[in-house]
């Protein structure tokens, strides 16, 4: 294992790694091979999901304008501009459609807690007015880049970067989602909960809407998605499943809607899922991170089809390596933060 891979696992996934080590040591998981001719079960790989097109990065892991360094987050606006949480470069990049270089929108000033700095940002969300919400993961806060003023403010967590379990703090937040009312939902990873921060900026604390810092309902949640009726979907990373919480606040427990069948490579299994998207039909798209594939669970189905990757570990156009966040546009095009390959891949036709 290279130093870079080790450092990334340690910095972003230490507790989740412990879960994997336990499973492996108990003989409950057989890692998928790095071969494009086997799907982990001895069967030929289905290549019908096509190949990806690189729309950002893919030119090494440094900080030039045409490069990315371990990107974890991706978001695409209505004009097709691709926004990237360029995690190890501590910056947010915007790539215009067809561009071979990105421009730095926020950050890029080294690691720190100043308003123009980040510490390994892992997720982002762009609202309808172009404002960008950023999960500033190791600063334990969410920052908002305000387009009109080109300024950044802290909208959740402690601006100084301190962590905590109380309602005013976060601990290693990763995924974020903003609903139509402007409410901010945060995957508060190490607190094992989803926090909702009201759109009313005079309120400086979050409300727990899924999981709890003191419960076992979630294990290191890393992504959150809220559908049009207010149901909350959570990528429950440590439990290898996707959980759904009803908008009905009298319901206090989540239900498993994808995965949850132990670690594995079968169509009803996930291996530490990260990115999450739910379309208008109720289909659930999941970045099955360590299986290096994107899975689609049709509404009401407990088995998935592979719609991107799934051809072993690698950098070929039909492969992914350690894919994190995903974004699906209204036409069904899938954008993938192909983290280890330092690129954003675009899959068409789903």
């Amino acid at each position: 294992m290279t130093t870079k891979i080790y450092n990334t696992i340690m910095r972003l996934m230490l507790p989740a790694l412990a879960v994997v080590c336990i499973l492996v040591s108990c003989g409950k998981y057989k890692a998928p091979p790095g071969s494009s001719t086997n799907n982990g079960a001895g069967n030929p790989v289905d290549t019908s999901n096509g190949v990806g097109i690189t729309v950002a990065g893919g030119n090494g892991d440094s900080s030039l304008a045409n490069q990315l360094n371990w990107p974890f987050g991706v978001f695409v606006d209505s004009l097709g501009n691709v926004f990237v949480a360029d995690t190890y470069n501590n910056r947010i990049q915007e790539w215009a459609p067809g561009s071979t270089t990105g421009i730095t929108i926020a950050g890029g000033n080294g690691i720190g807690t100043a308003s123009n700095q980040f510490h390994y940002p892992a997720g982002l969300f762009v609202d309808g007015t172009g404002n960008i919400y950023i999960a500033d993961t190791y600063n334990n806060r969410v920052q908002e880049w305000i387009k009109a003023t080109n300024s950044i403010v802290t909208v959740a967590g402690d601006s100084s970067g301190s962590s905590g379990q109380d309602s005013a703090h976060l601990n290693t937040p990763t995924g974020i989602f903003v609903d139509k009312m402007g409410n901010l939902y945060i995957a508060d990873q190490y607190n094992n909960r989803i926090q909702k921060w009201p759109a009313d900026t005079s309120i400086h604390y979050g409300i727990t809407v899924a999981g709890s810092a003191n419960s076992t309902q979630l294990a290191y949640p890393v992504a959150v998605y809220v559908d049009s009726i207010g149901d909350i979907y959570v990528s429950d990373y440590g439990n290898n499943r996707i959980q759904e919480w009803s908008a009905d606040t009298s319901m206090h427990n989540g239900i498993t809607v994808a995965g949850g069948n132990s670690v594995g490579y079968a169509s009803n299994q996930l291996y530490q899922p990260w990115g999450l998207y739910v379309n208008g039909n109720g289909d659930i798209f999941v970045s099955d991170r360590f299986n290096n594939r994107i899975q689609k669970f049709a509404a009401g189905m407990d088995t998935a089809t592979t719609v991107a990757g799934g051809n072993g570990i690698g950098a070929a156009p039909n492969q992914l390596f350690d894919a994190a966040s995903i974004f699906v546009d209204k036409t069904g095009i899938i954008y993938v933060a192909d983290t280890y390959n330092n690129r954003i891949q675009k899959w068409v036709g789903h």
Side-chain angles (χ1 to χ4, degrees):
M1 179 180 290
T2 66
T3 299
K4 191 168 189 181
I5 295 174
Y6 179 84
N7 287 342
T8 296
I9 292 173
M10 292 299 104
R11 288 167 175 162
L12 291 175
M13 303 175 295
L14 184 58
L17 179 63
V19 173
V20 176
C21 291
I22 292 170
L23 290 168
V24 172
S25 65
C26 294
K28 295 182 178 180
Y29 176 68
K30 180 179 179 181
S35 166
S36 62
T37 61
N38 190 287
N39 70 357
N43 300 317
V45 170
D46 179 6
T47 58
S48 63
N49 60 63
V51 298
I53 302 166
T54 301
V55 294
N59 299 296
D61 60 354
S62 193
S63 59
L64 298 178
N66 70 337
Q67 294 177 310
L68 299 171
N69 193 346
W70 284 70
F72 269 79
V74 61
F75 193 100
V76 183
D77 69 13
S78 60
L79 299 176
N81 297 305
V82 178
F83 296 84
V84 184
D86 189 11
T87 303
Y88 269 27
N89 280 326
N90 296 289
R91 66 187 182 182
I92 304 303
Q93 295 290 92
E94 179 184 358
W95 296 66
S99 178
T100 58
T101 59
I103 60 172
T104 300
I105 298 296
N109 299 297
I111 292 173
T113 59
S115 61
N116 68 341
Q117 293 179 308
F118 300 115
H119 191 174
Y120 298 154
L124 76 168
F125 189 101
V126 184
D127 70 15
T129 61
N131 299 324
I132 305 173
Y133 295 79
I134 302 138
D136 189 8
T137 301
Y138 272 78
N139 279 329
N140 302 296
R141 65 189 184 182
V142 175
Q143 301 288 86
E144 180 185 3
W145 176 78
I146 303 172
K147 184 176 182 179
T149 59
N150 190 28
S151 59
I152 298 177
V153 296
T154 300
V155 291
D158 191 323
S159 61
S160 69
S162 64
S163 65
Q165 290 187 348
D166 62 274
S167 60
H169 286 85
L170 302 168
N171 191 347
T172 323
T174 48
I176 52 180
F177 187 94
V178 181
D179 69 16
K180 293 181 180 180
M181 302 300 293
N183 299 306
L184 172 64
Y185 296 78
I186 305 166
D188 189 11
Q189 184 184 178
Y190 283 20
N191 280 328
N192 298 305
R193 65 188 183 184
I194 303 300
Q195 294 293 89
K196 176 182 177 181
W197 289 65
D200 182 352
T201 56
S202 67
I203 300 175
H204 302 293
Y205 59 87
I207 302 165
T208 301
V209 293
S212 168
N214 300 309
S215 79
T216 57
Q217 291 178 312
L218 296 171
Y220 314 114
V222 291
V224 57
Y225 189 96
V226 182
D227 69 14
S228 59
I229 62 172
D231 287 350
I232 302 167
Y233 296 79
V234 182
S235 187
D236 191 9
Y237 188 83
N239 285 320
N240 301 291
R241 65 187 182 181
I242 305 301
Q243 296 292 93
E244 178 185 1
W245 261 262
S246 172
D248 181 355
T249 55
S250 68
M251 307 292 288
H252 301 296
N253 295 305
I255 60 171
T256 301
V257 292
N261 297 297
S262 75
V263 174
Y265 201 80
S267 61
N268 68 341
Q269 293 178 307
L270 299 169
Y271 184 8
Q272 304 214 313
W274 192 280
L276 173 65
Y277 188 93
V278 184
N279 68 16
N281 297 324
D283 303 325
I284 302 170
F285 295 79
V286 183
S287 175
D288 190 10
R289 187 174 179 191
F290 286 168
N291 279 328
N292 301 290
R293 64 186 182 181
I294 307 303
Q295 297 292 86
K296 177 183 177 182
F297 291 82
M301 298 295 292
D302 61 1
T303 59
T305 56
T306 300
V307 293
N311 295 298
I313 294 172
N318 69 338
Q319 293 179 309
L320 299 169
F321 193 170
D322 196 19
S325 297
I326 57 174
F327 183 92
V328 184
D329 72 13
K330 292 181 179 179
T331 67
I333 295 174
I334 303 169
Y335 295 82
V336 183
D338 190 11
T339 304
Y340 186 83
N341 284 325
N342 300 296
R343 65 188 183 183
I344 304 300
Q345 294 292 90
K346 172 182 173 181
W347 254 267
V348 180
H350 299 284

